[in-house]
Amino acid sequence: MVGRIFALCAAFSLAGCATITRGTKDVLVVNSTPGGAQVKLSDGQSCDNTPCSFKVPRKSELNVMVTKDRCKPQQIRVTNRIASGGGAAMAGNVLVGGIIGAGVDASSGAMLELVPNPVNIQLECR
């Protein structure tokens, strides 16, 4: 019994709370008005018809290019920031003594969120 408790405590101290509860990836949603536009992300992902969803690392910083025939192309920069839940998980790691877990969360990006998300683009069309 003591061995199981020790193993459980060791496992929790080696993994970050945000990494476990939030994961290291997020879904980025891209919408356009009018709909039906093509989207290309600077990481190589693309979609032929908005609205689109992409699974990207929370610590991503990328450009989103939205194009449609007879419309002016629009580009927006998506970055990241510390999420309210991510910051709380980081504080919990530090308070409970999980310095290793705090390091895991910080390096994995699990405490971050993408901004803006969703990306809403208003295309200027002729």
Side-chain angles (χ1 to χ4, degrees):
M1 182 66 165
V2 173
R4 286 184 185 174
I5 292 172
F6 178 76
L8 187 60
C9 289
F12 281 122
S13 71
L14 293 176
C17 290
T19 304
I20 293 170
T21 60
R22 295 170 41 90
T24 59
K25 293 194 174 193
D26 198 1
V27 175
L28 176 66
V29 177
V30 180
N31 300 307
S32 70
T33 304
Q38 296 77 41
V39 179
K40 290 188 180 180
L41 303 183
S42 58
D43 71 355
Q45 296 184 69
S46 64
C47 166
D48 291 330
N49 196 9
T50 55
C52 305
S53 298
F54 303 94
K55 194 156 190 166
V56 296
R58 291 181 184 277
K59 61 182 179 179
S60 294
E61 292 195 13
L62 42 86
N63 293 316
V64 177
M65 177 63 77
V66 180
T67 58
K68 184 173 177 141
D69 288 341
R70 292 180 278 168
C71 297
K72 182 179 175 184
Q74 297 284 331
Q75 182 171 307
I76 191 164
R77 180 83 174 155
V78 174
T79 61
N80 57 64
R81 69 174 176 212
I82 295 177
S84 59
M90 177 64 85
N93 276 333
V94 173
L95 289 174
V96 175
I99 299 299
I100 294 172
V104 169
D105 283 350
S107 67
S108 72
M111 65 181 178
L112 302 173
E113 66 183 358
L114 300 170
V115 289
N117 192 13
V119 173
N120 295 308
I121 301 284
Q122 178 72 43
L123 294 170
E124 298 174 24
C125 301
R126 298 175 253 175

